[in-house]
Amino acid sequence: MAEARVFDRSHYRSLDESRIALLRGLLGEWKRQLSLETAIDVGCGVGHFSALLQELGFRAVALDGRKDNAEEARRRAPGVDVHVADVEDPAIQQFGTFDLVLCLGLLYHLENPFRSVRNLRELTGKVLVIESMCIDEGETVLHLRDEGPTEDQGLRHIAFYPTEACLVKMLYRAGFPAVYRFTRLPDHVDFHASASRRRVRTMLVAARVPLESECLVRVSEPATDPDPWRTAWAGVQEQAERMGNFIAKPWPEKMATLRRRLGWHEK
């Protein structure tokens, strides 16, 4: 029997079970509809999702940055080709392209998430499913956070956590033509807000082929603030300047401006 590890603890098991429950039927449906044959599990941990890919009949490859995780994944999913590799390194592109790419629970552990999203795009032949902890706010920003030196955290112990809007924008700018939200997220507390806590995680799909599903809704690329340094006081100043300019005009110009603004026309 495989040795118990941090990813076998109850929190991780319930999280994985909720993600697997959502993905099993959906991935099977896409496999038939889109003729998906090959798959790669990036950041595979001890192989829970690699085993799912194998169960669904994919020719699967798996990558993890930690050698001991990769060894454990080989034991738990013996039919999967498992490698030690860092998603932040463009060298992972040597593995080729895959019809389906899974990247679950990894992105927020990385120093260079945008570089990693670009690498994931190069691996993706048709569909990427990406799941991450996200800061629940509307800005397209990354939050730099310390992480503990434990086996369930990143390799470098400091990472950028994205907002969901930031993750959507990174996917579009990496070259994916379409990004989707799930209409129903996994049945786990991390995916749902409460009175005392914001939503912790999100799951998105980025596709390079036409994709239709009742489980998905397409989202547009978020716009960024053209002037993030602007304060509320700047608007007040601009209004005051416009009023001062109006008052300084000669009366005929004032009346012409009023007629134009109010839609008055001379008879």
Side-chain angles (χ1 to χ4, degrees), residues 168-233:
V168 171
K169 193 169 190 71
M170 287 192 290
L171 290 165
Y172 273 114
R173 289 306 178 96
F176 287 100
V179 180
Y180 304 84
R181 288 192 183 99
F182 282 82
T183 56
R184 178 176 61 87
L185 288 167
D187 185 18
H188 185 276
V189 65
D190 282 1
F191 290 95
H192 304 279
S194 68
S196 61
R197 192 165 177 79
R198 293 181 180 182
R199 180 166 60 95
V200 174
R201 292 177 180 269
T202 192
M203 186 181 291
L204 301 170
V205 173
R208 299 183 67 176
V209 296
L211 184 59
E212 292 185 7
S213 173
E214 294 180 353
C215 299
L216 301 176
V217 58
R218 184 166 177 171
V219 292
S220 301
E221 180 181 343
T224 55
D225 188 342
D227 187 1
W229 300 274
R230 178 185 173 90
T231 66
W233 178 244

Side-chain angles (χ1 to χ4, degrees), residues 22-61:
L22 179 66
L23 290 175
R24 176 178 280 111
L26 191 58
L27 296 183
E29 176 184 332
W30 289 345
K31 190 175 188 297
R32 295 186 297 273
Q33 290 179 349
L34 302 174
S35 300
L36 306 182
E37 297 181 359
T38 60
I40 187 168
D41 182 8
V42 181
C44 67
V46 296
H48 293 152
F49 298 101
S50 304
L52 173 64
L53 293 173
Q54 186 178 19
E55 174 190 329
L56 292 173
F58 286 95
R59 297 198 308 272
V61 172

Side-chain angles (χ1 to χ4, degrees), residues 72-252:
E72 185 66 18
R74 290 188 190 105
R75 286 194 289 270
R76 299 189 185 201
V80 176
D81 186 14
V82 184
H83 300 265
V84 178
D86 185 349
V87 68
E88 296 192 37
D89 186 347
I92 70 166
Q93 296 175 29
Q94 67 182 311
F95 293 103
T97 59
F98 299 83
D99 297 331
L100 172 68
V101 177
L102 295 186
C103 183
L104 308 179
L106 175 64
L107 190 77
Y108 59 96
H109 290 307
L110 306 176
E111 278 189 353
N112 300 288
F114 199 1
R115 179 191 298 166
S116 303
V117 168
R118 291 188 185 278
N119 291 339
L120 291 170
R121 190 265 185 189
E122 294 304 311
L123 293 176
T124 304
K126 294 183 179 179
V127 179
L128 165 69
V129 180
I130 188 164
E131 183 269 336
S132 176
M133 289 184 70
C134 282
I135 308 299
D136 190 14
E137 61 180 62
E139 298 295 324
T140 53
V141 297
L142 295 164
H143 293 252
L144 186 62
R145 293 175 55 84
D146 292 312
E147 291 196 322
T150 57
E151 62 181 298
D152 60 341
Q153 301 299 302
L155 298 176
R156 300 170 183 87
H157 315 311
I158 190 164
F160 278 106
Y161 283 49
T163 61
E164 183 181 86
C166 180
L167 178 51
V168 171
K169 193 169 190 71
M170 287 192 290
L171 290 165
Y172 273 114
R173 289 306 178 96
F176 287 100
V179 180
Y180 304 84
R181 288 192 183 99
F182 282 82
T183 56
R184 178 176 61 87
L185 288 167
D187 185 18
H188 185 276
V189 65
D190 282 1
F191 290 95
H192 304 279
S194 68
S196 61
R197 192 165 177 79
R198 293 181 180 182
R199 180 166 60 95
V200 174
R201 292 177 180 269
T202 192
M203 186 181 291
L204 301 170
V205 173
R208 299 183 67 176
V209 296
L211 184 59
E212 292 185 7
S213 173
E214 294 180 353
C215 299
L216 301 176
V217 58
R218 184 166 177 171
V219 292
S220 301
E221 180 181 343
T224 55
D225 188 342
D227 187 1
W229 300 274
R230 178 185 173 90
T231 66
W233 178 244
V236 176
Q237 288 179 310
E238 290 174 2
Q239 290 284 356
E241 288 174 4
R242 284 196 290 269
M243 180 61 70
N245 292 335
F246 175 78
I247 292 172
K249 289 180 179 181
W251 271 108

